[in-house]
Amino acid sequence: QVVLVESGGGLVQSGGSLRLSCAASGRTIKPYGMGWFRQALGKERDFVAAITWNGGTTYYADFAKGRFTISRDNAENTVILQMDSLAPGDSAVYYCGRKSLSRSDYREPMAYDAWGQGTQVTVSS
């Protein structure tokens, strides 16, 4: 029902920044928690950051804390992931997800019921 499209990925030098956007269409994301996950080649999909429906609470993986910032604009139906101080270990496909209303575990992929196709982030050394 909802379609999520990520953008903003690309190639960046170590120490640089990228701003990822997740644009939703088909329905509003206003009632839903939203999250960002990432998946490196040959690896599992890992939690990066999440935000509650009204932006009142944010959650971050340890590797993201202090470097990444998640935000949302419900009026524009978008979710943002600002990534600073990037390192080669951050290279992955980054996915935007919509959290199920029936789940409370923001850090688990199985709590999300819709995903975008992902955007590639590559950090060179």
Side-chain angles (χ1 to χ4, degrees):
Q1 186 176 4
V2 66
V3 176
L4 305 175
V5 180
E6 302 93 339
S7 63
L11 177 64
V12 64
Q13 283 188 299
S14 181
S17 298
L18 285 173
R19 184 176 186 267
L20 306 185
S21 296
C22 173
S25 61
R27 65 171 295 164
T28 179
I29 61 169
K30 184 174 181 179
Y32 300 93
M34 301 292 293
W36 287 93
F37 290 71
R38 71 186 190 185
Q39 187 167 17
L41 187 62
K43 301 295 191 296
E44 71 280 2
R45 186 170 297 192
D46 290 330
F47 171 75
V48 178
I51 188 167
T52 55
W53 71 275
N54 62 353
T57 306
T58 55
Y59 305 87
Y60 294 97
D62 286 343
F63 63 76
K65 195 173 299 182
R67 298 190 299 133
F68 297 179
T69 303
I70 187 170
S71 61
R72 66 190 297 160
D73 187 338
N74 287 340
E76 295 296 327
N77 230 27
T78 59
V79 183
I80 303 297
L81 183 68
Q82 176 68 43
M83 304 189 295
D84 300 319
S85 301
L86 286 164
D90 296 316
S91 297
V93 177
Y94 283 70
Y95 297 91
C96 174
R98 183 188 73 179
K99 192 180 71 63
S100 171
L101 295 174
S102 66
R103 301 289 295 267
S104 298
D105 45 345
Y106 285 87
R107 293 179 170 87
E108 295 295 331
M110 63 183 177
Y112 293 77
D113 59 12
W115 298 93
Q117 293 298 307
T119 184
Q120 177 71 53
V121 171
T122 303
V123 185
S124 64
S125 58

